[in-house]
Amino acid sequence: MEGMPVGVLGALQFATAVVAVFVPLAAGVYLLTTVTWTLGQRVVLRRVYG
């Protein structure tokens, strides 16, 4: 990588760290949202049809 400036390599390392932090966070938010939505649907359907 002789054509790349040193600053770009440092930025890439920082970007990797940011992705490593936010991907698990996004997965957790997705799971929380999905579980909450499913429970809400079950409550509504149980009241309507149960």
Side-chain angles (χ1 to χ4, degrees):
M1 296 190 168
E2 50 189 67
M4 262 193 195
V6 176
V8 173
L9 292 177
L12 286 176
Q13 290 175 347
F14 179 72
T16 302
V18 169
V19 169
V21 168
F22 282 111
V23 167
L25 179 64
V29 170
Y30 170 77
L31 286 175
L32 180 67
T33 304
T34 303
V35 168
T36 304
W37 184 261
T38 303
L39 289 175
Q41 283 181 330
R42 285 182 174 219
V43 167
V44 169
L45 290 175
R46 195 169 284 213
R47 285 185 182 173
V48 171
Y49 297 109

